[in-house]
Every structure is written in C-alpha cells, then in structure tokens.
Amino acid sequence: MTELTAREIAGYIDHTLLAPNASREQIVQICDEAKKYEFKSVCVNPLWVSTVARELEGTDVLTCSVIGFPLGASATDTKVFETNHAVADGANEIDMVIDIAAALRGDRDALVNEIFAIAQAAHEGGAILKVIIETCLLTEEAKVLACEAAKAAGADFVKTSTGFSTGGATVEDVALMRRTVGPELGVKASGGVRSVETARAMIAAGATRLGSSSGVAILEGEQSGSSY
C-alpha cells in the first residue's frame, strides 16, 4: 500500500472543536480551516451545529455533532431528542456516546436498543451515525460487545473515544474494532491523533475516519500540542 500523503489524509479528518469554552470566533475559524484544507467534516457540540452548517454551506465539508457527550450517561430519549435537534440544525453526521455501564455489564440488548433508536433518528433525518464506545474504559470483551451491538443496531461507524476520558485511540483498539465490525462499517480513531505519523498508523490499522483538533498541524507536518 502506497503511503498516504498529508493531503490525502485530509479527507479522513473530522476537524474537531469540543471545548466547553469555545467561542463563535473559534468555531468560524475551524470552519475556515476545514474549507481550506478540505477536511471531511467539522465536529462540534450541538450548540454550534447551526453556525457550522451555515459556514460550510455550498462546500463538500460535512457538519458533525456529538450526542450524549462526553459521558454517555443520558437517557436514550434524551439522546434521541438531541439527535433530532442536531439534524434539524443541519448535522450530516452524529457521533453518540454509548451507555458505557451497559457495555461493561455485558448488556447487549440495552446497547442495541439504545443505538437502534438513535440510528433511526439520524437516518430519518438523512444523517449517519458514529457510535463512540470509549475504549479506554472498556475491557476487550466489552469493546467487542459494543462494536457488535453497534453493527446489529444499524450504525454506520464505530468510534474509539471522546477524547475527554482517561485515554484516546490506540492502533490496537482500531485493529480490534475493524476485525469485529468487518468491512461494512467505518471505524473512527479519535483522541490523541496529533501527527501525520499517528494518522497513517491509525489508517493502516483500519481507521476510515480520524477525529482530531490537530488537523492543520497534521497536514503541515507538525506535532500538535493539543490535548485532543
């Protein structure tokens, strides 16, 4: 396989700003960066979805919103409401956090039911669903269970991490997730992807999307100091 160039990697990146103190000016800035570098999407908290959708109108860059973020400990109905609201505001993609406790106790039915409800809401609005399983908090068995539940429930992607817990993406977790979901679903590596070398390693392991606030640094061949 030919090594991907930095510019080719741009199409994998969800350019991300999820800090609770993000300003409108910063949100507009990352939209401008996404347009300049041709990132895949801009990923923000629900508050900023309508702003991002307006800023990206007429471009190929998608609008992505997080749901149940970052703990995943909201009721399913609440996550569905958030999803419907984000889609109505212009989100093309939804990144939801699972019920992490359900994964740890092995409750597959609870995971499938929750993910199915949110997938249905996203798909009815024309959006895709990425399922954040928060790998740093799960056993290997729970990671597999969560990925299998996401696939059974009709999700489009599984995603490693929020970037707000005890750890981010690892090559090993990306490879495990890819083996578990097969070629049908996307795999998104997020949290700690801050250099072109790390980006290439995640893609080689099976990632088809990268969540990062360091997209510009990655494309410029720099090492970012960002925490996400």
Side-chain angles (χ1 to χ4, degrees), residues 22-154:
S23 68
R24 187 184 186 284
E25 290 74 20
Q26 289 173 313
I27 296 295
V28 171
Q29 179 183 335
I30 67 165
C31 290
D32 289 342
E33 291 169 351
K35 289 183 282 189
K36 175 181 177 180
Y37 290 97
E38 299 181 340
F39 293 131
K40 184 67 176 181
S41 83
V42 170
C43 186
V44 293
N45 283 303
L47 173 67
W48 296 111
V49 169
S50 59
T51 301
V52 170
R54 284 194 302 270
E55 292 293 323
L56 298 178
E57 189 174 2
T59 76
D60 292 330
V61 183
L62 302 173
T63 300
C64 177
S65 180
V66 292
I67 298 298
F69 195 87
L71 302 178
S74 305
T76 298
D77 287 349
T78 303
K79 293 179 184 179
V80 170
F81 178 86
E82 280 191 285
T83 299
N84 287 330
H85 197 288
V87 170
D89 277 351
N92 309 112
E93 302 192 337
I94 299 294
D95 288 19
M96 56 112 12
V97 187
I98 63 165
D99 176 352
I100 296 164
L104 286 169
R105 68 175 181 268
D107 193 340
R108 185 180 187 276
D109 288 345
L111 290 172
V112 170
N113 290 339
E114 175 184 67
I115 297 167
F116 176 81
I118 298 160
Q120 187 174 41
H123 293 160
E124 286 178 354
I128 70 166
L129 177 66
K130 308 190 203 94
V131 175
I132 306 171
I133 68 171
E134 200 68 288
T135 49
C136 62
L137 299 181
L138 300 183
T139 63
E140 185 163 320
E141 182 180 9
K143 293 171 193 175
V144 170
L145 176 70
C147 288
E148 290 175 343
K151 186 174 183 179

Side-chain angles (χ1 to χ4, degrees), residues 165-209:
S165 189
T166 59
T170 68
V171 167
E172 293 77 16
D173 281 337
V174 169
L176 173 65
M177 294 165 73
R178 172 55 66 202
R179 289 195 303 272
T180 302
V181 301
E184 295 85 8
L185 269 65
V187 175
K188 178 175 173 178
S190 64
V193 182
R194 305 187 191 107
S195 68
V196 68
E197 293 79 14
T198 303
R200 287 184 180 130
M202 296 297 178
I203 293 167
T208 50
R209 197 73 70 87

